[in-house]
Amino acid sequence: MTAEEYKTRGNQAFSAGQFEDAIKYFTQAAELDPTNHVLYSNRSASYASLKQYEKALEDAEKTVQLKPDWPRGYSRKGAALHGLGELDQAADAYRAGLQVDPNNAALKRSLDEVEAATAANPFGNIFGPEGLARIAKNPKTAHLLSQPDIIQIINQIQTNPSAINMYMRDPRVMTLMMAAMGVDATVATNAEDAAAAAQAAQAQFDENPSPPKEEQRKPAASKPAEPEPELTGEEAEQKKKRADSDKEKDLGNAAYKARKFDEALQHYDKAFELDDTNLPVLTNKAAALYEAGRFDECIKVCEQAVDAGRDMRADYKVIAKALGRMANAYLKKDDLDNAIKYYQKSLTEHRTPDILNKLKEAERLRAVREKEAYRNPQLAEEAREKGNELFKQSNYAESVKFYTEAIKRNDADPRNYSNRAAAYIKLMALPEAEKDCDAALKLDENFVKAYIRKAGILHAKRDYMKALDMLQTASDKDTEGKHAVEIQQQQAKCYMGLNAVQNAGNREELLQTAMADPEVQRIMGDPVMQSILKQMQEDPRAIQDHMKNPSVAAKIRTLVNAGIIQMGGPR
């Protein structure tokens, strides 16, 4: 693949929140195109999302090195430094970016956030590199750096300076703060020393006291507006075109909100004639065409917006909006394939919950339609018959394929599930067999064959008592006696299995083996079950009453299967 293809995959992974995959793709892209600053910028964002700020900083610095006139690189660097708790350095990075692009709103906002975070705590970056160096050199505090909890506290304060408030009562922290500021440090051992340390630390920040509250309330003197740079004739003309175009766009928006779509379209057309670089005009026009039910025209305008956006390297959100509206139009045309295609393209550009939900709904609807289109009871019957032939030939794996095809063609026939369950049992794929039996019974709770199949699964698991219960249910459902012979044969197999367990070898060895089972140990250690077993020894008929309790019955079955209880009562 090319570097651009790897980058596209990286962007998709990032949008999906798969940051480790994104890093892998951006790394592969950078290996092919090592001078592409965008790749390092994107990888820096991925590392930052994983809170791996050291690596994020490395890539951000590489970005700035490759493209020093690109504001985004400074934004990445500031974000990484902010994550590392280096607020002053983060602010410097944002300021450097603003020197490149003084009007960059993102850089301004990030700088405000860092300055606010610094101002929120007067201690700021007290445990930065310089502060830690002072602590390490001070013989009174160096030993504290070997204490794991102190290191954890320092790391937390570095990440979030305001967290220092949580530890102001810890005399060790106060001592470290004094040492970090270059003040003679003495470890406080009592409340008085701790208070003194706190006062001494605070005093370092009170040399330039804050203005009185009254003074703070006074508004700062407004700065004179900086003069705008002189514009060239072409720039002035473009600015006027955009202003005139926006006026027409606003008129179109007002008409759109009033559901006067034809009037809105006229304003949008005029707005685009005035400035053919004003992309939001096209997306708004597409929305009006969509609401007017002119879906084909809506799609064409969206295509125009996407192409123009690519040429102008427009904001990816604008392109994503155009692709999303194109998908909406295809959905209205009942063209699910194209709707899904363009929803996916939109998410590649910018991931939003609304488009993601629409994509999922379109995919669900397509799956339902494909399933319905494939449905054919006659072909399902043929596939099941073919599966039956293969089953009789003991070709169970191939029979499963045809039973599966029968289910796809007609998932409302319980016979298809029941027959596949029989094949799964032969293949010892018991979990799959049980699921098919449950599916058959969900379609028809009186489907006797499914109960017999489930009994076969339980027999294969050597859970003979449950198998006998299941066969009893099958017998109750078989009101016409069509399956009586098969049920009796299965019952005989279960009794044979029970006898084999209960009469296998030495009785003491059997009991010893059974008691190695944790479930048997738990049951035998239950005082209630001990009382029941004692009662059954004295009166074997008592088992009939106890079997009416589902919880007790389940435990008795476990003991019977293990050979603890024999078919004549407990031993």
Side-chain angles (χ1 to χ4, degrees), residues 419-478:
N419 288 12
R420 189 170 69 175
Y424 277 139
I425 292 172
K426 291 293 185 180
L427 295 169
M428 293 304 292
L430 302 183
E432 290 80 3
E434 192 165 9
K435 288 179 184 177
D436 275 353
C437 288
D438 291 338
L441 292 172
K442 187 175 180 180
L443 292 170
D444 183 0
E445 63 178 10
N446 294 315
F447 193 67
V448 178
K449 276 282 188 181
Y451 290 106
I452 297 174
R453 304 281 191 237
K454 288 200 75 169
I457 295 168
L458 292 167
H459 180 275
K461 293 179 178 180
R462 298 186 179 182
D463 198 343
Y464 304 117
M465 290 298 292
K466 283 186 180 180
L468 288 169
D469 289 344
M470 189 64 65
L471 289 168
Q472 184 58 52
T473 302
S475 181
D476 294 341
K477 298 286 185 181
D478 186 22

Side-chain angles (χ1 to χ4, degrees), residues 343-372:
Y343 280 138
Q344 290 171 337
K345 285 179 174 288
S346 176
L347 289 171
T348 300
E349 297 292 334
H350 179 57
R351 197 172 185 85
T352 63
D354 178 56
I355 295 297
L356 182 60
N357 290 335
K358 288 180 177 179
L359 171 62
K360 290 179 179 178
E361 178 59 23
E363 289 175 334
R364 185 196 67 78
L365 184 58
R366 183 172 68 176
V368 170
R369 290 188 180 178
E370 288 176 347
K371 184 177 180 179
E372 289 299 321

Side-chain angles (χ1 to χ4, degrees), residues 407 411-422 436-437 439-440 443:
I407 291 170
D411 60 357
D413 190 338
R415 295 176 298 175
N416 298 331
Y417 291 101
S418 178
N419 288 12
R420 189 170 69 175
D436 275 353
C437 288
L443 292 170

Side-chain angles (χ1 to χ4, degrees), residues 464-466 468-469 491-503 507 510 536 540-541 543-544 547 556-571:
Y464 304 117
M465 290 298 292
K466 283 186 180 180
L468 288 169
D469 289 344
Q491 287 173 331
K493 289 182 180 180
C494 290
Y495 284 121
M496 287 175 62
L498 279 173
N499 288 331
V501 170
Q502 295 173 347
N503 298 314
R507 178 66 180 164
L510 174 65
M536 288 167 54
R541 291 174 299 178
I543 192 172
Q544 297 177 0
M547 290 299 286
I556 290 175
R557 291 190 194 98
T558 300
L559 297 180
V560 171
N561 286 327
I564 299 294
I565 298 176
Q566 292 191 327
M567 292 304 292
R571 296 286 188 265

Side-chain angles (χ1 to χ4, degrees), residues 142-438:
H143 69 282
L144 293 175
L145 295 179
S146 64
Q147 299 179 13
D149 63 324
I150 282 292
I151 296 300
Q152 186 175 358
I153 291 171
I154 290 174
N155 290 337
Q156 186 174 356
I157 294 173
Q158 286 175 331
T159 303
N160 179 18
S162 62
I164 200 170
N165 296 322
M166 299 165 54
Y167 304 105
M168 293 295 279
R169 293 183 178 275
D170 189 329
R172 299 173 302 167
V173 174
M174 300 308 302
T175 301
L176 288 173
M177 289 169 58
M178 293 173 63
M181 292 182 291
V183 180
D184 186 36
T186 301
V187 179
T189 57
N190 54 51
E192 290 77 10
D193 291 345
Q199 291 176 359
Q202 186 64 48
Q204 296 298 309
F205 293 94
D206 289 343
E207 293 178 1
N208 297 309
S210 301
K213 293 183 179 179
E214 293 78 8
E215 200 173 315
Q216 288 178 347
R217 293 193 189 102
K218 295 179 182 179
S222 59
K223 296 181 180 180
E226 296 183 4
E228 294 186 4
E230 291 291 332
L231 300 176
T232 64
E234 183 178 348
E235 290 173 337
E237 182 181 357
Q238 180 59 38
K239 185 175 181 180
K240 183 178 183 304
K241 281 183 178 180
R242 176 54 63 92
D244 292 341
S245 176
D246 283 342
K247 287 180 182 178
E248 283 294 330
K249 183 186 73 173
D250 291 341
L251 292 173
N253 292 345
Y256 176 89
K257 291 176 181 177
R259 302 195 65 78
K260 297 178 180 179
F261 301 122
D262 290 338
E263 181 182 336
L265 289 169
Q266 292 175 5
H267 287 296
Y268 291 142
D269 285 338
K270 187 173 181 180
F272 198 68
E273 288 175 8
L274 291 169
D275 183 3
D276 60 3
T277 66
N278 197 349
L279 283 183
V281 171
L282 290 179
T283 57
N284 289 9
K285 179 181 177 181
L289 289 167
Y290 177 87
E291 293 295 337
R294 295 157 62 177
F295 303 121
D296 289 330
E297 294 175 69
C298 172
I299 291 169
K300 289 181 180 179
V301 171
C302 288
E303 289 174 342
Q304 181 185 359
V306 172
D307 291 341
R310 301 282 191 211
D311 293 340
M312 292 186 285
R313 297 184 178 180
D315 188 339
Y316 54 85
K317 293 181 181 178
V318 176
I319 296 175
K321 184 181 289 186
L323 291 167
R325 286 184 176 161
M326 194 186 310
N328 290 340
Y330 275 119
L331 189 62
K332 282 290 186 181
K333 287 167 59 69
D334 205 28
D335 186 344
L336 292 176
D337 288 340
N338 274 317
I340 291 170
K341 172 183 175 182
Y342 287 102
Y343 280 138
Q344 290 171 337
K345 285 179 174 288
S346 176
L347 289 171
T348 300
E349 297 292 334
H350 179 57
R351 197 172 185 85
T352 63
D354 178 56
I355 295 297
L356 182 60
N357 290 335
K358 288 180 177 179
L359 171 62
K360 290 179 179 178
E361 178 59 23
E363 289 175 334
R364 185 196 67 78
L365 184 58
R366 183 172 68 176
V368 170
R369 290 188 180 178
E370 288 176 347
K371 184 177 180 179
E372 289 299 321
Y374 200 72
R375 185 183 297 279
N376 188 319
Q378 182 177 350
L379 294 178
E381 187 76 20
E382 294 175 5
R384 190 179 70 254
E385 290 299 329
K386 180 63 176 176
N388 291 344
E389 292 177 12
L390 292 166
F391 185 92
K392 292 174 183 177
Q393 297 169 10
S394 300
N395 193 346
Y396 307 119
E398 284 299 314
S399 72
V400 167
K401 294 180 182 179
F402 283 93
Y403 291 139
T404 301
E405 177 67 13
I407 291 170
K408 290 180 180 178
R409 292 290 187 182
N410 185 8
D411 60 357
D413 190 338
R415 295 176 298 175
N416 298 331
Y417 291 101
S418 178
N419 288 12
R420 189 170 69 175
Y424 277 139
I425 292 172
K426 291 293 185 180
L427 295 169
M428 293 304 292
L430 302 183
E432 290 80 3
E434 192 165 9
K435 288 179 184 177
D436 275 353
C437 288
D438 291 338

